[in-house]
Coordinates of all heavy atoms in Angstrom, one line a residue:
R269 N -85.6 11.2 -52.6 CA -84.7 10.3 -53.3 C -83.5 11.1 -53.9 O -82.4 10.6 -53.7 CB -85.4 9.6 -54.4 CG -84.5 8.6 -55.2 CD -85.3 7.9 -56.3 NE -85.8 8.9 -57.3 CZ -85.0 9.5 -58.2 NH1 -83.8 9.2 -58.3 NH2 -85.6 10.4 -59.0
E270 N -83.8 12.2 -54.5 CA -82.7 13.0 -55.0 C -81.8 13.6 -53.9 O -80.6 13.6 -54.1 CB -83.2 14.1 -55.9 CG -83.9 13.6 -57.2 CD -84.7 14.7 -57.9 OE1 -85.4 15.5 -57.1 OE2 -84.8 14.7 -59.1
L271 N -82.4 14.0 -52.9 CA -81.6 14.5 -51.7 C -80.7 13.4 -51.2 O -79.5 13.6 -51.0 CB -82.5 15.0 -50.6 CG -83.1 16.4 -50.8 CD1 -84.1 16.6 -49.7 CD2 -82.0 17.4 -50.8
M272 N -81.2 12.2 -51.0 CA -80.4 11.1 -50.5 C -79.3 10.7 -51.4 O -78.3 10.2 -51.0 CB -81.3 9.9 -50.1 CG -82.3 10.2 -49.0 SD -81.5 10.6 -47.5 CE -80.7 9.0 -47.1
A273 N -79.5 10.9 -52.7 CA -78.5 10.5 -53.7 C -77.3 11.4 -53.7 O -76.2 11.1 -54.2 CB -79.1 10.4 -55.1
D274 N -77.4 12.5 -53.0 CA -76.3 13.5 -53.1 C -75.6 13.6 -51.7 O -76.2 14.1 -50.7 CB -76.9 14.9 -53.4 CG -75.8 15.9 -53.7 OD1 -74.7 15.8 -53.1 OD2 -76.0 16.9 -54.4
L275 N -74.4 13.1 -51.6 CA -73.7 13.0 -50.3 C -73.5 14.4 -49.7 O -73.6 14.6 -48.5 CB -72.4 12.3 -50.4 CG -71.6 12.2 -49.2 CD1 -72.3 11.4 -48.1 CD2 -70.2 11.6 -49.4
L276 N -73.3 15.4 -50.6 CA -73.1 16.7 -50.1 C -74.3 17.2 -49.3 O -74.2 17.8 -48.3 CB -72.7 17.7 -51.2 CG -71.4 17.4 -51.9 CD1 -71.2 18.4 -53.0 CD2 -70.2 17.5 -50.9
D277 N -75.5 17.0 -49.9 CA -76.7 17.4 -49.3 C -77.0 16.6 -48.0 O -77.4 17.2 -47.0 CB -77.9 17.2 -50.2 CG -78.1 18.3 -51.2 OD1 -77.4 19.4 -51.0 OD2 -78.8 18.1 -52.2
L278 N -76.6 15.4 -47.9 CA -76.8 14.6 -46.7 C -75.9 15.2 -45.6 O -76.4 15.4 -44.5 CB -76.4 13.1 -47.0 CG -76.5 12.1 -45.8 CD1 -78.0 12.1 -45.4 CD2 -76.0 10.8 -46.2
V279 N -74.7 15.4 -45.9 CA -73.8 16.1 -44.9 C -74.3 17.4 -44.5 O -74.4 17.8 -43.4 CB -72.4 16.2 -45.5 CG1 -71.5 17.0 -44.5 CG2 -71.8 14.8 -45.6
D280 N -74.8 18.2 -45.5 CA -75.3 19.5 -45.3 C -76.5 19.5 -44.3 O -76.5 20.3 -43.4 CB -75.8 20.0 -46.7 CG -75.9 21.5 -46.8 OD1 -75.2 22.2 -46.0 OD2 -76.6 22.0 -47.6
D281 N -77.4 18.5 -44.5 CA -78.5 18.5 -43.6 C -78.2 18.1 -42.2 O -79.0 18.4 -41.2 CB -79.5 17.4 -44.1 CG -80.2 17.8 -45.4 OD1 -80.3 19.0 -45.6 OD2 -80.7 17.0 -46.1
H282 N -77.0 17.5 -41.9 CA -76.6 17.2 -40.6 C -75.7 18.2 -39.9 O -75.2 18.0 -38.8 CB -75.9 15.8 -40.6 CG -76.8 14.6 -40.8 ND1 -77.4 14.4 -42.0 CD2 -77.3 13.7 -39.9 CE1 -78.2 13.3 -41.8 NE2 -78.1 12.9 -40.6
T283 N -75.4 19.3 -40.6 CA -74.4 20.2 -40.1 C -74.8 20.8 -38.8 O -73.9 20.8 -37.9 CB -74.2 21.3 -41.2 OG1 -73.6 20.8 -42.3 CG2 -73.2 22.4 -40.6
E284 N -76.0 21.3 -38.6 CA -76.3 21.9 -37.4 C -76.2 20.9 -36.2 O -75.8 21.3 -35.1 CB -77.8 22.5 -37.5 CG -78.0 23.6 -36.5 CD -77.1 24.8 -36.7 OE1 -77.0 25.3 -37.8 OE2 -76.5 25.2 -35.7
Y285 N -76.6 19.7 -36.5 CA -76.5 18.7 -35.4 C -75.1 18.5 -35.1 O -74.7 18.4 -33.9 CB -77.1 17.4 -35.9 CG -76.7 16.1 -35.1 CD1 -77.2 15.9 -33.8 CD2 -75.8 15.2 -35.7 CE1 -76.8 14.8 -33.1 CE2 -75.4 14.1 -35.0 CZ -75.9 13.9 -33.7 OH -75.5 12.8 -33.0
F286 N -74.2 18.3 -36.1 CA -72.8 18.1 -35.8 C -72.1 19.3 -35.1 O -71.3 19.1 -34.2 CB -72.1 17.7 -37.1 CG -72.4 16.3 -37.6 CD1 -72.7 16.1 -38.9 CD2 -72.5 15.2 -36.7 CE1 -73.0 14.9 -39.4 CE2 -72.8 14.0 -37.2 CZ -73.1 13.8 -38.6
K287 N -72.5 20.5 -35.6 CA -71.9 21.6 -35.0 C -72.2 21.7 -33.5 O -71.3 22.0 -32.6 CB -72.3 22.9 -35.7 CG -71.6 23.2 -37.0 CD -72.2 24.3 -37.8 CE -72.1 25.6 -37.0 NZ -70.7 26.1 -36.8
S288 N -73.5 21.5 -33.1 CA -73.9 21.6 -31.7 C -73.2 20.5 -30.9 O -72.8 20.7 -29.8 CB -75.4 21.5 -31.6 OG -75.9 20.2 -32.1
H289 N -73.1 19.3 -31.5 CA -72.4 18.2 -30.9 C -70.9 18.5 -30.6 O -70.4 18.3 -29.5 CB -72.5 17.0 -31.8 CG -71.5 15.9 -31.5 ND1 -71.7 15.0 -30.4 CD2 -70.4 15.4 -32.1 CE1 -70.7 14.2 -30.3 NE2 -69.9 14.4 -31.3
L290 N -70.3 19.2 -31.5 CA -68.9 19.5 -31.4 C -68.7 20.7 -30.4 O -67.8 20.7 -29.6 CB -68.3 19.9 -32.8 CG -66.8 19.9 -32.9 CD1 -66.3 18.5 -32.6 CD2 -66.4 20.3 -34.3
D291 N -69.6 21.7 -30.5 CA -69.5 22.9 -29.6 C -69.6 22.5 -28.2 O -69.1 23.2 -27.3 CB -70.6 23.9 -30.0 CG -70.3 24.5 -31.4 OD1 -69.2 24.4 -31.9 OD2 -71.2 25.2 -31.9
A292 N -70.4 21.4 -27.9 CA -70.6 21.0 -26.5 C -69.4 20.3 -25.9 O -69.3 20.2 -24.6 CB -71.8 20.0 -26.5
L293 N -68.4 19.9 -26.7 CA -67.2 19.3 -26.1 C -66.3 20.3 -25.4 O -66.1 21.4 -26.0 CB -66.4 18.5 -27.2 CG -67.1 17.3 -27.8 CD1 -66.3 16.7 -28.9 CD2 -67.4 16.2 -26.8
P294 N -65.7 20.0 -24.3 CA -64.6 20.8 -23.7 C -63.5 21.0 -24.7 O -63.3 20.1 -25.6 CB -64.2 20.1 -22.5 CG -65.4 19.2 -22.1 CD -66.0 18.8 -23.4
H295 N -62.7 22.0 -24.6 CA -61.7 22.4 -25.6 C -60.7 21.3 -25.9 O -60.5 20.9 -27.1 CB -61.0 23.7 -25.2 CG -59.9 24.0 -26.1 ND1 -60.0 24.3 -27.5 CD2 -58.5 24.1 -25.9 CE1 -58.8 24.5 -28.0 NE2 -57.9 24.4 -27.1
Q296 N -60.1 20.7 -24.9 CA -59.1 19.7 -25.1 C -59.7 18.4 -25.6 O -59.1 17.8 -26.5 CB -58.3 19.5 -23.8 CG -56.9 18.9 -24.1 CD -56.0 18.9 -22.9 OE1 -56.2 18.1 -22.0 NE2 -55.1 19.9 -22.8
E297 N -60.9 18.0 -25.2 CA -61.6 16.9 -25.7 C -61.8 17.1 -27.2 O -61.7 16.2 -28.0 CB -62.9 16.6 -25.0 CG -62.7 15.9 -23.6 CD -64.0 15.5 -23.0 OE1 -64.9 15.1 -23.8 OE2 -64.2 15.7 -21.8
R298 N -62.2 18.3 -27.6 CA -62.5 18.6 -29.0 C -61.3 18.4 -29.8 O -61.4 17.9 -30.9 CB -63.1 20.0 -29.1 CG -63.6 20.4 -30.5 CD -63.9 21.9 -30.6 NE -64.8 22.3 -29.5 CZ -64.8 23.6 -29.1 NH1 -64.0 24.5 -29.5 NH2 -65.7 23.9 -28.1
K299 N -60.1 18.9 -29.3 CA -58.9 18.7 -30.1 C -58.6 17.3 -30.4 O -58.2 16.9 -31.5 CB -57.7 19.4 -29.4 CG -57.8 20.9 -29.4 CD -56.5 21.5 -28.8 CE -55.3 21.3 -29.8 NZ -54.1 22.0 -29.4
V300 N -58.8 16.4 -29.4 CA -58.5 15.0 -29.5 C -59.5 14.4 -30.5 O -59.2 13.6 -31.4 CB -58.5 14.3 -28.1 CG1 -58.4 12.8 -28.3 CG2 -57.4 14.8 -27.3
Y301 N -60.8 14.7 -30.3 CA -61.8 14.2 -31.1 C -61.6 14.5 -32.6 O -61.7 13.7 -33.5 CB -63.2 14.7 -30.7 CG -64.4 14.1 -31.4 CD1 -64.9 12.9 -31.0 CD2 -65.0 14.8 -32.4 CE1 -66.0 12.4 -31.6 CE2 -66.1 14.3 -33.0 CZ -66.6 13.0 -32.6 OH -67.7 12.5 -33.3
L302 N -61.2 15.8 -32.9 CA -60.9 16.2 -34.2 C -59.7 15.5 -34.8 O -59.6 15.3 -36.0 CB -60.8 17.7 -34.3 CG -62.1 18.5 -34.1 CD1 -61.9 20.0 -34.0 CD2 -63.1 18.1 -35.1
A303 N -58.7 15.3 -34.0 CA -57.5 14.6 -34.4 C -57.8 13.2 -34.9 O -57.3 12.7 -35.9 CB -56.5 14.5 -33.3
V304 N -58.7 12.5 -34.2 CA -59.1 11.1 -34.6 C -59.9 11.2 -35.9 O -59.6 10.4 -36.8 CB -60.0 10.5 -33.5 CG1 -60.5 9.1 -33.9 CG2 -59.3 10.4 -32.2
A305 N -60.8 12.2 -36.0 CA -61.5 12.4 -37.3 C -60.6 12.7 -38.4 O -60.8 12.2 -39.5 CB -62.6 13.5 -37.1
D306 N -59.6 13.5 -38.2 CA -58.7 13.9 -39.3 C -57.9 12.8 -39.8 O -57.6 12.6 -40.9 CB -57.8 15.1 -38.8 CG -57.2 15.9 -39.9 OD1 -57.9 16.1 -40.9 OD2 -56.0 16.3 -39.8
L307 N -57.5 11.9 -38.9 CA -56.7 10.7 -39.2 C -57.5 9.7 -40.1 O -57.0 9.1 -41.0 CB -56.1 10.0 -38.0 CG -55.0 10.7 -37.3 CD1 -54.8 10.1 -35.9 CD2 -53.7 10.6 -38.1
W308 N -58.8 9.6 -39.8 CA -59.7 8.7 -40.5 C -59.2 7.3 -40.7 O -59.3 6.7 -41.8 CB -60.1 9.4 -41.9 CG -61.4 8.8 -42.4 CD1 -62.6 8.7 -41.7 CD2 -61.6 8.3 -43.7 NE1 -63.5 8.2 -42.5 CE2 -63.0 7.9 -43.7 CE3 -60.9 8.1 -44.8 CZ2 -63.6 7.3 -44.9 CZ3 -61.5 7.6 -46.0 CH2 -62.8 7.2 -46.0
K309 N -58.7 6.7 -39.6 CA -58.3 5.3 -39.6 C -58.2 5.0 -38.1 O -58.0 5.8 -37.3 CB -57.0 5.1 -40.4 CG -55.8 5.8 -39.8 CD -54.6 5.5 -40.6 CE -53.3 6.1 -39.9 NZ -52.1 5.9 -40.6
P310 N -58.2 3.7 -37.8 CA -58.0 3.3 -36.4 C -56.5 3.8 -36.0 O -55.6 3.4 -36.7 CB -58.1 1.8 -36.4 CG -59.0 1.5 -37.6 CD -58.7 2.5 -38.6
A311 N -56.4 4.6 -35.0 CA -55.2 5.2 -34.7 C -54.8 5.0 -33.2 O -55.7 4.9 -32.3 CB -55.2 6.7 -35.0
S312 N -53.5 5.0 -32.9 CA -53.0 4.8 -31.6 C -53.0 6.1 -30.8 O -53.1 7.2 -31.5 CB -51.6 4.2 -31.6 OG -50.7 5.2 -32.2
A313 N -52.9 6.1 -29.5 CA -52.9 7.3 -28.7 C -51.7 8.2 -29.1 O -51.8 9.4 -29.1 CB -52.8 6.9 -27.2
R314 N -50.6 7.6 -29.4 CA -49.4 8.4 -29.8 C -49.7 9.1 -31.2 O -49.3 10.3 -31.3 CB -48.2 7.5 -29.9 CG -46.9 8.3 -30.3 CD -45.7 7.4 -30.1 NE -45.5 7.0 -28.8 CZ -44.9 7.7 -27.8 NH1 -44.5 9.0 -28.1 NH2 -44.7 7.3 -26.6
E315 N -50.3 8.4 -32.1 CA -50.6 9.1 -33.4 C -51.6 10.2 -33.2 O -51.5 11.3 -33.8 CB -51.1 8.1 -34.4 CG -50.1 7.1 -34.9 CD -50.8 6.0 -35.7 OE1 -51.9 5.5 -35.3 OE2 -50.2 5.5 -36.7

Side-chain angles (χ1 to χ4, degrees):
R269 179 183 60 80
E270 290 166 324
L271 281 172
M272 292 300 292
D274 188 333
L275 180 61
L276 294 180
D277 280 343
L278 182 62
V279 171
D280 202 22
D281 288 337
H282 285 74
T283 294
E284 202 62 50
Y285 162 72
F286 288 134
K287 280 173 62 67
S288 61
H289 166 72
L290 199 59
D291 292 346
L293 293 176
H295 172 63
Q296 202 166 79
E297 283 187 40
R298 186 189 307 154
K299 288 189 70 172
V300 171
Y301 186 80
L302 292 174
V304 179
D306 200 36
L307 286 164
W308 200 50
K309 65 179 181 180
S312 67
R314 182 171 296 280
E315 290 172 320

